[in-house]
């Protein structure tokens, strides 16, 4: 698929089971000699060749990767397979790196996508050291199979400015991030919507409005319900300043 991810996307992800060797096992995680990457000889970061996978049974605290046999049946030196059984996830963050990020392994990542399993909600106020979700690099050598199941508000681009049916103007930064321009109480837009500006400029007077056409029927609540049915959590509508 086109690797143009954005927060709010709901994906189906999998990875074929691949042979690997166990480096170590603790009560909380397993370290594998990673079968897909190579050491980066031109990087000052020394990567040992291993990747640590947490194996908590609690959703949100475990890796999407699974070993066969499971970690509690493995010890250092054993062989196993590692992969991702088909799972539905929702994207909470996308980072892009130009130049590619130096990590100690090859290929150097150009993108990182952080996801949560379906049924796991994002903490709206995480602690300073809380890390939510699992980060992966969709363009590296791990043979991910990715399917976009839903992109809410796919007809809008981040930064678009729109007017809604209630006469309010908004900036769209993501499906659950709507910033009103009127300074009144934040909320969500009332469909149908009209595109006012895109890419820093107004829509040409004679240009067709794809947003008006896409929102002629439906509502924000219906868009959120479609997302919730797949992500299995309520969407985190974010209030603007």
């Amino acid at each position: 698929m086109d690797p143009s991810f954005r927060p709010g996307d709901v994906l189906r992800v999998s990875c074929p089971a691949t042979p690997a060797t166990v480096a170590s096992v603790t009560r909380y995680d397993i370290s594998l000699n990673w079968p897909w990457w190579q050491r980066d000889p031109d990087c000052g970061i020394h990567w040992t060749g291993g990747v640590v996978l947490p194996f908590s049974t609690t959703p949100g605290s475990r890796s999407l990767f699974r070993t066969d046999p499971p970690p509690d049946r493995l010890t250092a030196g054993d062989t196993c397979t590692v992969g991702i059984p088909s799972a539905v996830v929702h994207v909470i963050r996308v980072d892009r790196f130009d130049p590619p990020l130096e990590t100690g392994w090859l290929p150097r990542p150009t993108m990182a996508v952080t996801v949560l399993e379906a049924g796991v909600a994002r903490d709206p106020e995480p602690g300073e050291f809380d890390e939510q979700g699992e980060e992966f690099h969709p363009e590296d050598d791990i043979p991910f199979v990715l399917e976009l199941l839903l992109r809410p508000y796919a007809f809008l681009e981040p930064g678009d400015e729109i007017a809604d049916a209630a006469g309010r103007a908004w900036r769209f930064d993501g499906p659950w991030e709507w910033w009103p321009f009127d300074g009144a109480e934040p909320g969500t837009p009332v469909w149908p919507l009209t595109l006012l500006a895109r890419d820093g400029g107004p829509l040409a007077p004679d240009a067709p409005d794809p947003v008006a056409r896409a929102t002629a029927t439906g509502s924000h609540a219906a868009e959120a319900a479609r997302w919730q049915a797949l992500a299995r959590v309520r969407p985190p509508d974010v209030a603007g300043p």
Side-chain angles (χ1 to χ4, degrees):
M1 63 175 286
D2 181 354
S4 55
F5 304 93
R6 71 188 195 189
D9 287 354
V10 181
L11 311 173
R12 188 187 310 279
V13 58
S14 63
C15 175
T18 302
T21 304
V22 178
S24 64
V25 182
T26 74
R27 292 174 57 191
Y28 308 104
D29 54 47
I30 183 170
S31 178
L32 300 176
N33 295 317
W34 207 235
W36 293 294
W37 298 333
Q38 300 177 10
R39 291 184 179 89
D40 186 345
D42 299 319
C43 178
I45 302 171
H46 176 67
W47 178 56
T48 64
V51 168
V52 176
L53 304 176
F55 59 79
S56 166
T57 58
T58 303
S61 301
R62 63 190 177 194
S63 173
L64 292 170
F65 286 94
R66 302 285 189 270
T67 63
D68 184 19
D72 60 2
R73 293 169 50 193
L74 293 168
T75 59
D78 287 348
T79 58
C80 64
T81 62
V82 59
I84 300 178
S86 180
V88 175
V89 299
H90 56 103
V91 177
I92 61 172
R93 177 172 173 166
V94 178
D95 296 293
R96 292 178 172 82
F97 311 115
D98 186 12
L101 188 67
E102 293 190 21
T103 56
W105 64 76
L106 294 174
R108 294 183 177 183
T110 61
M111 177 190 301
V113 179
T114 304
V115 303
L116 288 171
E117 291 182 77
V120 179
R122 184 174 189 177
D123 185 350
E125 297 181 2
E128 182 180 357
F129 300 106
D130 290 345
E131 295 184 4
Q132 292 184 274
E134 183 165 9
E135 180 180 283
F136 65 91
H137 307 125
E139 295 177 303
D140 70 12
D141 284 346
I142 299 177
F144 293 112
V145 179
L146 300 165
E147 177 188 359
L148 178 63
L149 300 180
L150 176 65
R151 171 168 290 173
Y153 282 95
F155 46 84
L156 288 177
E157 299 294 335
D160 279 356
E161 298 176 10
I162 64 100
D164 73 2
R168 300 185 73 185
W170 305 78
R171 187 181 78 239
F172 171 81
D173 284 345
W176 324 127
E177 297 186 60
W178 290 91
W179 312 110
F181 288 119
D182 56 15
E185 284 294 317
T188 54
V190 180
W191 289 25
L193 310 177
T194 302
L195 182 62
L196 300 176
R198 173 168 287 177
D199 297 327
L203 192 67
D206 58 346
D209 184 350
V211 174
R213 183 171 61 251
T215 59
T217 60
S219 65
H220 177 86
E223 196 80 349
R226 292 173 61 220
W227 186 87
Q228 183 173 341
L230 290 171
R232 304 206 314 271
V233 291
R234 295 185 62 182
D237 285 314
V238 178

